[in-house]
């Protein structure tokens, strides 16, 4: 954070809106693990700005594209992109209110509808980021092959290269790849938020869900639901509503750990070996 960030915020507003708007107040928001996140109050209303001088040059532009892709699906409230450049992302401010009684049901149904948006292949026509790591989205027609080649292999290779994964674990990953077609259902490509943990779920002025900070692609929808369980899980009413709207294949609970190998590998590569035990447990369960 700068000693006095107001001139920077005002330049962000000028570059986005094409006119001078002064900042009456700013509030640093918690929760941003990678960037600075701030709420701006101005005579033109409130805005949300995220910035990071060290961000890769295309990071905010790609996040803006992902938000736009999810917004176009018109299933869940996604903040409008007001301005974007290499060093900032300016968004519609989502004013969190007390959630409505049907918050979780509405969230489960709208995520299920989002996942019904499909595509001719898995992946996306551009790469993006998961945290600050590049996420490769080269299209593939087979969902399990996509999960192996573009998700697990890339992150496992990186974790091995960085010295986190042992050769034994890498061999176990290879054994697991061969078993995956029998372990997980090969469903249609589903439009995914891609980074759906509770920190990226907020509530809007109506008390309903809004989603931020995506890592969008078309993938296996069970990967998204599994990830929601990684840090404790959402309310049971969310899962029931999802399942009623777009039923899951039987046995999902037993498959969650397999899908969560991807976010766990990402966490190892971003934050270090603290996340290795979870990976080891799953590998030991499926590959002796
Ligand atoms: P990071 O990329 O650094 O993780 P996020 O995009 O997750 O940052 O934003 C950090 C926090 O700011 C979120 O957890 C959320 O609480 C809040 N937030 C994000 N976008 C908005 C928005 N458009 N309006 C209001 N609050 C937001």
């Amino acid at each position: 954070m700068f000693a006095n960030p107001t001139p920077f915020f005002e330049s962000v507003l000028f570059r986005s809106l094409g006119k001078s708007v002064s900042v009456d107040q700013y509030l640093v928001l918690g929760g941003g693990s990678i960037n600075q996140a701030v709420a701006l109050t101005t005579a033109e209303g409130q805005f949300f700005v995220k910035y990071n001088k060290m961000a890769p040059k295309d990071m905010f532009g790609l996040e803006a594209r992902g938000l736009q892709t999810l917004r176009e699906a018109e299933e869940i409230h996604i903040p409008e992109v007001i301005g974007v450049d290499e060093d900032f992302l300016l968004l519609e401010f989502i004013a969190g209110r007390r959630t409505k009684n049907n918050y979780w049901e509405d969230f489960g149904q709208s995520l299920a509808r989002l996942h019904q948006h499909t595509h001719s292949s898995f992946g996306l026509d551009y790469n993006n980021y998961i945290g600050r790591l590049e996420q490769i989205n080269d299209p593939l027609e087979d969902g399990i092959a996509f999960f192996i080649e573009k998700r697990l292999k890339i992150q496992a290779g990186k974790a091995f290269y960085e010295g986190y994964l042992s050769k034994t674990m890498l061999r176990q990953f290879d054994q697991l790849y061969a078993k995956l077609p029998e372990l997980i259902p090969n469903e249609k490509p589903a439009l995914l938020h891609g980074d759906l943990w509770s920190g990226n779920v907020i509530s809007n002025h109506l008390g309903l869900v809004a989603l931020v900070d995506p890592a969008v692609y078309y993938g296996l929808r069970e990967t998204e639901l599994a990830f929601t369980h990684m840090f404790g899980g959402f309310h049971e009413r969310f899962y029931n509503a999802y399942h009623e709207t777009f039923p899951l294949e039987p046995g999902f609970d037993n498959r969650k750990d397999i899908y969560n190998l991807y976010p766990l590998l990402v966490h190892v590569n971003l934050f270090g070996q603290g996340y290795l035990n979870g990976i080891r447990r799953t590998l030991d369960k499926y590959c002796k």
Side-chain angles (χ1 to χ4, degrees):
M1 192 88 160
F2 314 91
N4 173 13
T6 302
F8 172 71
F9 298 149
E10 290 179 346
S11 89
V12 163
L13 291 166
F14 185 78
R15 283 150 77 193
S16 304
L17 304 171
K19 60 180 176 184
S20 294
V21 176
S22 51
V23 172
D24 298 331
Q25 232 183 347
Y26 70 84
L27 181 68
V28 178
L29 302 171
S33 49
I34 289 165
N35 307 297
Q36 296 282 355
V38 175
L40 304 177
T41 305
T42 78
E44 303 274 325
Q46 281 193 297
F47 298 91
F48 171 85
V49 65
K50 186 155 126 167
Y51 60 101
N52 179 351
K53 291 277 174 214
M54 312 291 278
K57 285 190 187 323
D58 56 354
M59 194 171 89
F60 290 131
L62 289 167
E63 182 172 339
R65 258 177 108 171
L67 289 167
Q68 196 53 33
T69 303
L70 292 177
R71 246 178 102 75
E72 280 162 12
E74 293 186 350
E75 302 294 1
I76 304 186
H77 186 170
I78 307 291
E80 185 188 351
V81 177
I82 295 166
V84 61
D85 211 333
E86 288 174 6
D87 55 339
F88 75 85
L89 179 62
L90 185 71
L91 302 178
E92 162 197 351
F93 182 75
I94 309 278
R97 289 276 154 77
R98 251 195 54 205
T99 54
K100 276 229 173 86
N101 287 341
N102 65 341
Y103 175 87
W104 290 110
E105 285 81 0
D106 175 78
F107 182 14
Q109 288 160 4
S110 32
L111 189 75
R113 287 197 307 270
L114 183 78
H115 287 174
Q116 284 165 344
H117 288 248
T118 186
H119 197 63
S120 53
S121 50
F122 288 83
L124 201 63
D125 49 8
Y126 55 92
N127 295 336
N128 47 21
Y129 288 91
I130 175 88
R132 59 182 156 71
L133 299 180
E134 198 180 16
Q135 179 167 262
I136 305 294
N137 295 320
D138 302 337
L140 280 181
E141 277 179 20
D142 183 277
I144 296 176
F146 182 87
F147 183 57
I148 296 170
E149 297 298 327
K150 308 298 171 193
R151 293 292 177 264
L152 297 181
K153 268 193 190 173
I154 290 174
Q155 294 298 332
K158 184 171 168 59
F160 177 69
Y161 179 80
E162 303 285 346
Y164 295 127
L165 275 197
S166 64
K167 270 205 173 122
T168 310
M169 288 173 89
L170 207 58
R171 259 196 301 274
Q172 286 180 301
F173 265 106
D174 280 333
Q175 290 169 24
L176 181 70
Y177 300 151
K179 293 182 184 173
L180 282 188
E182 283 142 46
L183 293 172
I184 60 180
N186 217 347
E187 297 191 297
K188 278 192 201 159
L191 181 56
L192 306 182
H193 173 279
D195 197 0
L196 195 59
W197 69 290
S198 56
N200 290 336
V201 178
I202 57 183
S203 53
N204 68 12
H205 58 294
L206 299 172
L208 295 173
V209 70
L211 299 183
V212 298
D213 204 15
V216 173
Y217 65 103
Y218 288 88
L220 294 171
R221 63 186 176 125
E222 289 193 348
T223 60
E224 182 118 291
L225 288 174
F227 187 36
T228 67
H229 285 280
M230 213 167 93
F231 302 109
F234 298 167
H235 199 287
E236 207 188 325
R237 301 205 313 263
F238 162 84
Y239 298 103
N240 292 340
Y242 181 98
H243 191 66
E244 273 167 30
T245 312
F246 191 10
L248 290 168
E249 297 288 325
F252 166 70
D253 279 344
N254 297 326
R255 298 189 287 272
K256 284 190 302 223
D257 292 345
I258 298 176
Y259 298 118
N260 282 340
L261 286 169
Y262 174 59
L264 282 171
L265 282 167
V266 168
H267 274 72
V268 166
N269 286 326
L270 281 173
F271 308 116
Q273 55 195 10
Y275 293 89
L276 268 184
N277 273 344
I279 296 179
R280 202 172 281 123
R281 264 197 304 275
T282 304
L283 289 176
D284 288 346
K285 181 169 160 196
Y286 290 97
C287 313
K288 299 287 166 226

